[in-house]
Amino acid sequence: MAVCHYHQDRPGIGICMRCRVVICAACSTRVDGVNHCHACLKALGQRPEKPRAGQFPPALAAAFCLALTGLIFFVFAFAVQGSFAP
Ligand SMILES: [Zn+2]
Ligand SMILES: [Zn+2]
């Protein structure tokens, strides 16, 4: 039975994807969906997973959506008016 590389009294639950040592639940930290030990986490200089911010600012996306809807409505209204004109 594999034990944690850092805690000889704890059972290992996974392997660090960077240095491949067996780590326990307390030592395991998920970064980008993969396990990392304390040492590698420190080496990476990254914090644990956090919700990724959208590439597009929500306000800009809403404005773009509104503008597009307005444009479609304008074009549609113009096309209907044109087709029914004598
Ligand atoms: Zn590691
Ligand atoms: Zn441990």
Side-chain angles (χ1 to χ4, degrees):
M1 185 69 184
V3 292
C4 177
H5 180 74
Y6 301 98
H7 306 94
Q8 307 302 308
D9 57 330
R10 293 187 196 185
I13 55 108
I15 297 166
C16 173
M17 285 295 125
R18 204 160 174 271
C19 64
R20 304 270 166 186
V21 297
V22 179
I23 45 176
C24 70
C27 294
S28 165
T29 308
R30 286 176 84 83
V31 178
D32 293 329
V34 293
N35 290 325
H36 285 75
C37 69
H38 291 307
C40 291
L41 207 68
K42 212 170 180 179
L44 282 166
Q46 282 182 0
R47 283 189 294 271
E49 266 182 23
K50 56 178 178 159
R52 219 167 281 180
Q55 296 132 320
F56 220 56
L60 197 70
F64 183 76
C65 207
L66 204 72
L68 198 72
T69 307
L71 190 75
I72 289 166
F73 182 78
F74 180 78
V75 167
F76 185 74
F78 190 77
V80 167
Q81 204 175 45
S83 63
F84 283 111

